[in-house]
């Protein structure tokens, strides 16, 4: 039977936080949760846009300012949520960037890796204490079909390489990091006997604000054609995230995406991912690196981490030398 929002269980009494909820897929995810009775925290870079989105969504909502280009902003947002709530049932790491105008975050990280991975990693770590003992709580990380072009390992040099603004490879690497994080988080939650679980989803193709960045010139005709013929509206693109957040039959570690047209559109179903996204050693190395770069350490038992790959003298994000 095809999954649809009509199958979302009653969410009354549950508290959900959705990042990037002022528009696009994040707004539709927040709308779907609020429509079923959840209290939804809209974590947005702009308070004004967040409040406008809350009015459109209706139901029980609040707005918290969150700018993933700044780890200080992440810490302030997490502190605000902890001050207001003593539990969190759902955390949907939806916000992200693709080909943005800036090349580094406030903390000096390559913009895709900083916003799409390090920010959500830090936010999750700072909020997880509200979730680990809450039955049925879930962390949902939104990845992308582009994770398949995220080649290479992860290290501090790659994290700070400034040449990745218009790089498809840089964006893909950040989305590969999303999947590695989601799976390692599930492994650590399960090993710790936590009540919370971690899942991931990808939206396929959708003409949201994410595509408003400055894509590489050679990619623009492909993007235009793909969005015209393969894309689905944000309401449909949000369904994998909504199912990951609410389907009680899904196990921790599940990965969902659209069912048709090479995963670009359709009803949400279990999705396939690249071999690199299932690399257990890479998961552990990325986790250690992320803790070091963000200063956010999760309260899990230590695990052994394989040695990092040696540096090559080449910018690992774009392949450029120097």
């Amino acid at each position: 039977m095809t999954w649809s929002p009509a199958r979302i269980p009653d969410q009354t009494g549950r508290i959900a936080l959705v990042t990037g909820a002022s528009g696009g897929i994040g707004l539709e995810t927040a709308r779907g949760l609020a429509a079923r009775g959840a209290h939804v925290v809209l974590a947005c870079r702009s308070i004004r846009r967040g409040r406008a989105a809350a009015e459109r969504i209706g139901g029980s909502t609040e707005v918290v300012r969150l700018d993933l280009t700044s780890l200080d902003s992440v810490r302030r947002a997490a502190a605000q949520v902890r001050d207001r709530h003593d539990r969190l049932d759902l955390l949907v790491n939806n916000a992200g960037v693709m080909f943005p105008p800036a090349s580094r975050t406030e903390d000096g990280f390559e913009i895709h890796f900083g916003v799409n991975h390090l920010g959500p990693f830090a936010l999750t770590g700072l909020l997880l204490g509200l979730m680990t003992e809450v039955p049925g709580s879930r962390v949902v990380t939104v990845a992308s079909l582009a994770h398949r072009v995220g080649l290479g390992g992860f290290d501090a040099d790659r994290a700070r390489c400034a040449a990745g603004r218009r790089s498809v490879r840089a964006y893909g690497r950040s989305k590969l990091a999303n999947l590695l994080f989601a799976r390692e988080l599930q492994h650590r939650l399960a090993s710790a006997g936590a009540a919370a679980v971690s899942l991931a989803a990808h939206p396929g193709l959708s003409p949201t604000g994410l595509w408003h960045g400055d894509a590489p010139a050679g990619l623009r005709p492909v993007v235009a054609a793909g969005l015209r013929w393969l894309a689905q509206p944000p309401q449909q693109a949000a369904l994998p995230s909504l199912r990951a957040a609410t389907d009680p039959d899904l196990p921790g570690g599940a990965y969902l995406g659209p069912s048709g047209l090479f995963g670009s559109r359709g009803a949400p179903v279990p999705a396939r991912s690249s071999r690199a996204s299932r690399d257990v050693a890479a998961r552990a190395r990325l986790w250690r690196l992320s803790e070091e770069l963000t200063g956010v350490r999760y309260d899990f038992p230590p695990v052994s981490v394989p040695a990092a790959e040696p540096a090559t003298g080449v910018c690992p994000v774009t392949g450029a030398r120097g």
Side-chain angles (χ1 to χ4, degrees):
M1 181 179 179
T2 301
W3 192 93
S4 73
R7 298 180 63 182
I8 297 178
D10 182 17
Q11 300 293 299
T12 301
R14 307 193 83 197
I15 301 171
L17 186 150
V18 181
T19 68
S22 62
I25 294 168
L27 184 147
E28 297 303 330
T29 301
R31 191 198 305 273
L33 294 171
R36 297 299 295 157
H39 174 77
V40 184
V41 181
L42 282 64
C44 310
R45 187 168 55 181
S46 166
I47 290 290
R48 178 185 60 80
R49 291 186 62 206
R51 288 173 177 164
E55 291 182 5
R56 294 171 60 188
I57 289 169
S60 178
T61 61
E62 65 181 275
V63 180
V64 169
R65 186 177 186 277
L66 171 68
D67 182 353
L68 291 171
T69 67
S70 165
L71 289 175
D72 280 344
S73 177
V74 172
R75 292 186 177 92
R76 288 193 297 269
Q80 192 171 3
V81 173
R82 292 196 305 266
D83 286 343
R84 294 180 182 180
H85 303 284
D86 60 5
R87 59 177 284 163
L88 187 63
D89 297 87
L90 298 173
L91 170 58
V92 182
N93 287 313
N94 164 82
V97 296
M98 183 169 63
F99 315 134
S103 59
R104 290 182 188 267
T105 68
E106 179 182 290
D107 304 280
F109 301 118
E110 190 278 315
I111 190 71
H112 294 96
F113 189 69
V115 171
N116 296 350
H117 169 63
L118 291 177
F121 178 92
L123 181 68
T124 303
L126 293 167
L127 293 178
L128 201 61
L130 300 179
M131 305 183 72
T132 51
E133 297 183 4
V134 178
S137 60
R138 296 183 177 196
V139 178
V140 177
T141 301
V142 179
S144 169
L145 288 167
H147 82 272
R148 293 182 178 277
V149 299
L151 306 177
F154 297 92
D155 57 36
D157 289 339
R158 288 176 171 90
R160 294 188 173 89
C161 178
R165 178 175 69 86
R166 295 175 61 185
S167 168
V168 175
R169 184 179 178 185
Y171 175 68
R173 283 169 47 78
S174 72
K175 304 317 284 184
L176 173 60
N178 289 158
L179 276 179
L180 292 170
F181 163 63
R183 286 172 170 154
E184 183 66 12
L185 177 60
Q186 171 57 26
H187 169 68
R188 295 185 183 224
L189 287 168
S191 298
V197 295
S198 168
L199 301 91
H202 79 83
L205 293 178
S206 185
T208 66
L210 193 66
W211 293 94
H212 292 169
D214 187 13
L219 187 63
R220 291 170 196 165
V222 177
V223 169
L227 292 179
R228 181 176 181 181
W229 300 109
L230 299 178
Q232 58 184 351
Q235 297 93 322
Q236 290 295 118
L239 296 187
S241 295
L242 282 170
R243 183 177 181 184
T246 63
D247 186 342
D249 295 327
L250 290 175
Y255 177 45
L256 301 182
S259 59
L261 291 173
F262 309 104
S264 64
R265 60 186 299 158
V269 296
R272 302 180 70 176
S273 65
S274 67
R275 179 178 299 179
S277 74
R278 303 189 300 272
D279 186 326
V280 175
R283 285 177 2 199
R285 285 195 298 267
L286 176 63
W287 189 280
R288 183 181 68 177
L289 174 68
S290 302
E291 288 191 330
E292 292 174 352
L293 295 178
T294 64
V296 176
R297 299 190 179 276
Y298 286 58
D299 188 19
F300 288 130
V303 297
S304 60
V305 180
E309 298 175 359
T312 63
V314 176
C315 176
V317 174
T318 64
R321 293 188 174 276

